[in-house]
């Protein structure tokens, strides 16, 4: 996974505001990996339902 799938500045701002903490670059990379994994699962669920649109329900287990 080389592509960042989150807006790092938004994530960092959220963590700073909610927890008064800094965010490492590795945290952003890991979050992108988690998002990629979840998107892949959702894609498979949509395909299984014979749809070409990923919907919110595809992210639920």
């Amino acid at each position: 996974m080389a592509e960042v799938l989150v807006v790092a500045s938004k994530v960092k701002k959220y963590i700073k505001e909610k927890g008064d903490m800094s965010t490492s670059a590795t945290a952003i990379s890991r979050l992108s990996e988690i998002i990629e994994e979840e998107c892949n699962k959702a894609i498979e669920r949509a395909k299984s339902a014979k749809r070409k649109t990923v919907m919110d329900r595809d992210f639920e287990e």
Side-chain angles (χ1 to χ4, degrees):
M1 166 72 220
E3 188 174 2
V4 176
L5 299 177
V6 298
V7 179
S9 61
K10 298 266 186 186
V11 173
K12 289 178 178 189
K13 180 181 178 197
Y14 179 83
I15 290 172
K16 187 67 169 173
E17 288 177 355
K18 287 290 187 174
D20 195 30
M21 298 179 157
S22 297
T23 307
S24 72
T26 56
I28 299 299
S29 295
R30 180 62 187 131
L31 185 55
S32 287
E33 289 171 4
I34 292 167
I35 291 172
E36 180 180 36
E37 292 164 8
E38 292 302 314
C39 286
N40 289 338
K41 290 178 193 175
I43 290 165
E44 289 307 313
R45 289 184 188 109
K47 284 182 179 179
S48 293
K50 296 182 176 36
R51 284 185 279 109
K52 291 192 175 225
T53 302
V54 173
M55 304 173 87
D56 57 341
R57 66 180 179 226
D58 295 316
F59 288 96
E60 299 170 4
E61 291 190 52

